[in-house]
Structures are given as C-alpha cells and as structure tokens.
Amino acid sequence: MSMIEGAYDAPGKSADVGVNPYGGHESVQHGDFVTENEERDLRRGLGQRHIQMIALAGAIGTGLFLGLGSSLQTGGPLGALLGYAFVGLIVCAVQFALGEVTALLPVTGSFVRHAEFLVDPAFGFAIGWNIIYGNLLSIPSEISAICVLFQYWTDINPSLWIVIFIVLTFVVGIAFVGIYGEVEFFFALLKIALVVGLIILGLCIDLGGVSGVPRIGFRYWKHPGPFVEHIATGSWGNFLGFWSVMINAVFSFAGVESIAMAAAETKNPRQNIPKACKRVFARVALFYVASVLIVGMLVSSDDERLQDESGTAAQSPFVIAASAAGIKAIPSIVNAVVITSAWSSSNQALLAGTRVLYSLALKKQAPAIFLRTTAWGVPYMCVLLQTVFMFLAFMSLSSSALTVFYWFVDLVGCGVLISWSCVLVNHLRLLAAMKKQGIARTELPWHNKWTPYSSAVALTACLLILLTNGFAVFTRGGWSASSFVSSYLDIPLILVAYLAWKYYKGTKFVALEDIPIRAALDEIRDNPETPEPVRKGWKGVVMKLLWE
C-alpha cells in the first residue's frame, strides 16, 4: 500500500484503516511509504555520481551552448548576467525544496507523487499528465534538432538520423536504469569539459592571449552598453530586456527538477538526492553565470551574427568569438557536443516521462498496463508508449507538418515553471503541516534553516514569470498567436485537468493535520539507510570535486 494512500489517515485512527481520497475506506499501513510495486518491480541502479551528473547533464544543454546569443542580443551583457544570476537563485530554492521533501518521501515520480500526498490527488494528476504530455513531444523535437545539427556537416537524408536516434533512445530507455546512469554520466563529463574549455578559451581571447587578436576586455560593456532596450526605450526598455533574458534563462535551466524522478531506483535516496540537490545548483549556476559573463565580454550585443537561426553551432556566441579569432576547430567541437546534449535531453525526457506515467498508474490515474516491468526493473509499457511518439520526428521532414508539430510542442511551453511551482508548493505545504502538527523541522532527514523563506520568494517569482513570460504579445504590434499559445495555454490545460479529475473522483484538499508526517519519520527511523563510504586519497579528492 502506498504512502499516498496512507496520507489520509487522520491522527488517532487505527494504523490499518484509512480514508480513501476518492471515497470509502481501504486497508493501509503507515509503514509502506514506498509502494510494494516499487519495492518488488524496480531496481536501485543509480548511485550518487549518476544522480549528480544526471542533474548536470539535464541542465547544461542547448540553452547554454546555443541560447546565450539571443539573451545577449535582448538584454545586453549586464542584463543577461543579472537575468541568469536571478534565475540561478530560483533554481537554488527549487533544488533545496525538492531535496527536503524527497529526503522524507523518496518515491518514483518525485514531486508529482509529493503533490498528491501533500496537496490534492487531483493536483498530482494534473501535474503528472502535463509532464507526460510534454515529454512525449519533447523527445521527437530533440531528435528533430539533432537532424538540423548534423546538417552542419552533411546533407545526408535526415530520415537516417531520425531512425538511428529513435533506436538509440529506445535502447537506453529499455535497458537497466544503471545503463542510463552511465550514459548520462559520460555526457555530463563531456559537457563540463566543453564548458570549462570554452570559458578558459574565452578568457584567453578576451585578454589578448590568442596570437593576432587584440585585447577586448570590457569594451562591449561600454559600447553598445551594458543593457539593450527591448520593446520600449529608456530605463523601462532596459528592464524589459532584462526580464526577457530571465524568461529565456528559465527554459535554459529546465531539467534540474527531474533529478528525483527515479528516487525509488536510486541507492540510498535519502542521502544521495539531497546531496545532489545541494551541490548541483551551485555548479550549474556557476557554469551559466561564468559563461554569460564571458560571452558578454567576447561578443557585442548588436553583432549581426547573433541573428543566425540555423539551429547549429553557427549561432553559438562561443563559436562566433572563436571564428573571429581564427580558431577553426571550435565550431565542429561545439556542434558535436550539442548533438550529445540534444540526445541526452531526449534520454532524460524518456526517463522522466516513463517514471511519472508509472507513478500515476500506481495510483490508478493511468491504465494498470503501465505498471508492467521487465525482469531488470524497467516499466517497458511506458517506454513503448514514449517510443511510438518518437516517430513524430518524421513530421520535421515536411514544412507544413513541422508547423503543426511545433504547435503541439508549444502547448507545454511554460511547463517548466509549473513544475518548479509545484515543487515549491509541496515544500511549503510540508512545512505548514509540520507546524500544524507540532513537529520540528530538525526532525527531517535533511533541512536548511532558510528554505521556508527561499521557497516562498521563489514561488512568487515563478508565478510572476509564468504570468508575464508572454508579455511581448500584449505590446503594440507584438501580437503573435503562436507566441500566446506557447506562453499561456498550458495554464488552462492544467486547470482543466485538475478540475476534471477533482469532479470525476471527488478528491479533497488534504488537511494539514491529516498528512502522516510522523509516520514517514518513523519509517525513516525504522529503516535507516547504510551510510555512504568516505572516499580517501587522491581518488576521493577527484570524486569530491566532480560529483561529491
């Protein structure tokens, strides 16, 4: 019996009789905070280094390598730097909130299951299906992007690349989850090496360390200036430029919230997932902030080459700077790593989508067929469903079909902000329930003293960005139906799904006093995890720097 089913036992009631949120009663045990299905059918194949690197691999992708140019063009070097720094702080709050709740409830589906446990089953249903829908479409869109990236080198028929990457993605998805962990671990190392290399190269170019290239310094901060006027003029135009950068930055950081989706397949999740949440945000923020700073020093915000919309390495500001310095190998290196980034993103979308679908099936919010797993613990019916949708990538071969395809993708354009908001709402509900029940936060397996404040501030910021992320369509001459759809249609979709399930099943908002936090804490006390071994010597130093 699952933890969520136990969530509806009011204090003082018998431990083996609970109130079903859909009406009626059912037998529950407070000790089962991970379902029997998860314990029996899934396998714990992800270690600490996998979890650390999965989060990094998901967050460092095309948004960093290709997307910084548009942010620089819109906000200027200082506007871009401030935008990414601010969103980095939001990511920090989201990661810490996710770490605190996951340490208490390390279940498959992560914050989707947390939402049902802490808020309302209908809320978990709406968020879960929104994530599934988004991932069903994001995989073929990533495969389509890979086809474009290969066109930088060759004019081979894109159908070949589509078939190859559908097969590769399926193989990784259907294999033991440890294989996925190793693949993402390798990709993350590649990305980190490239980012560090590009930052060092950028500094060398900027400071005049490349033969024949004069020192640039902060020249472009003076002319054309630290900010760029966007839509309006003057200070208001500068602010709108900064705000547009912040919206772009949110989507660049997308993926960090997926770190705990496979918590039931992670070794010692109460130790390893909070560690990853605590450390990953700093590294991701550092990579992005340092990269934005370097790019703002290397390329002028009014450089016409930033307008390149090829979708290949040619639009990367790092490539623009390296090409200007006469370094010919950089474009191909960046293009190759961006291809691995796109494939890494499709792998991560497959993992997140399948585990959320599996978690919904556990709660009878999806057909029971999706509970079927392989002998090595992979929900294969979930993987097969995702694989069927991968063939939508062939729509990219037709211009008219591609337009329709991206309209579907646009429907979940603001899904990342909704997911972050869900993580923060879950955390605030947990804190409110603990206060209501007189349980000290120090009893949590992992906690930080500032998270009650950071979660509230970050939730306010997320909702504000969510409501204003399409502000340009409301300006004079700025109306665009596709932009409006991508910016806002996901909000009513979530509301409709929430209200429909609430009406159909008659679910209720979970009362703070009925959330069995004490039972969860007792479960942790009665089933302690084995402490992670302490690495010593030079290997321990290297591991600590990279992923510990």
Side-chain angles (χ1 to χ4, degrees), residues 137-210:
L137 294 177
S138 67
I139 300 175
S141 70
E142 294 290 354
I143 293 174
S144 299
I146 290 172
C147 294
V148 174
L149 289 162
F150 269 107
Q151 289 174 7
Y152 184 77
W153 293 314
T154 178
D155 57 359
I156 293 177
N157 193 315
S159 298
L160 176 63
W161 304 119
I162 292 175
V163 172
I164 289 174
F165 280 92
I166 286 177
V167 172
L168 289 175
T169 304
F170 170 76
V171 169
V172 172
I174 203 68
F176 174 56
V177 71
I179 301 297
Y180 164 80
E182 295 297 342
V183 170
E184 291 303 289
F185 180 81
F186 175 72
F187 284 161
L189 288 180
L190 272 182
K191 294 177 188 180
I192 291 171
L194 179 62
V195 172
V196 172
L198 290 175
I199 290 173
I200 294 173
L201 175 64
L203 278 173
C204 291
I205 295 174
D206 184 76
L207 298 176
V210 177

Side-chain angles (χ1 to χ4, degrees), residues 70-80 220 224-245 301-302 471-472 475:
S70 62
S71 296
L72 177 63
Q73 194 175 31
T74 303
L78 182 56
Y220 299 129
F227 290 98
V228 171
E229 294 179 346
H230 181 61
I231 297 179
T233 58
S235 299
W236 180 238
N238 291 338
F239 173 79
L240 292 181
F242 153 75
W243 196 258
S244 294
V245 167
S301 58
D302 61 359
F471 72 88
T475 60

Side-chain angles (χ1 to χ4, degrees), residues 105-116:
L105 305 167
V107 293
T108 300
S110 183
F111 56 89
V112 175
R113 294 267 293 282
H114 299 160
E116 184 171 1

Side-chain angles (χ1 to χ4, degrees), residues 314-335:
Q315 74 181 81
S316 170
F318 289 111
V319 169
I320 292 172
S323 299
I327 304 174
K328 297 180 180 180
I330 293 299
S332 289
I333 293 174
V334 171
N335 202 63

Side-chain angles (χ1 to χ4, degrees), residues 5 8-9 18-26 506:
E5 290 166 342
Y8 306 94
D9 296 347
V19 180
N20 186 325
Y22 308 142
H25 292 77
E26 58 183 282

Side-chain angles (χ1 to χ4, degrees), residues 284-414:
V284 170
L286 176 63
F287 288 142
Y288 269 97
V289 171
S291 298
V292 173
L293 176 63
I294 295 300
V295 163
M297 295 162 62
L298 290 175
V299 183
S300 171
S301 58
D302 61 359
D303 193 314
E304 293 183 357
R305 291 172 294 181
L306 292 175
Q307 299 178 10
D308 190 309
E309 296 181 355
S310 63
T312 67
Q315 74 181 81
S316 170
F318 289 111
V319 169
I320 292 172
S323 299
I327 304 174
K328 297 180 180 180
I330 293 299
S332 289
I333 293 174
V334 171
N335 202 63
V337 175
V338 172
I339 287 174
T340 68
S341 296
W343 186 39
S344 171
S345 296
S346 68
N347 288 336
Q348 189 172 54
L350 181 62
L351 181 81
T354 53
R355 271 46 178 190
V356 170
L357 182 55
Y358 178 84
S359 72
L360 291 181
L362 286 174
K363 301 311 302 168
K364 300 181 181 179
Q365 295 175 339
I369 192 174
F370 294 115
L371 290 176
R372 297 182 182 179
T373 58
T374 63
W376 51 92
V378 173
Y380 67 90
M381 292 305 299
C382 299
V383 174
L384 289 176
L385 177 66
Q386 293 269 13
T387 304
V388 170
F389 276 80
M390 292 182 202
F391 288 90
L392 288 176
F394 282 100
M395 294 178 71
S396 64
L397 304 180
S398 164
S399 57
S400 58
L402 183 63
T403 300
V404 175
F405 173 59
Y406 278 111
W407 265 85
F408 284 126
V409 174
D410 284 346
L411 293 179
V412 287
C414 57

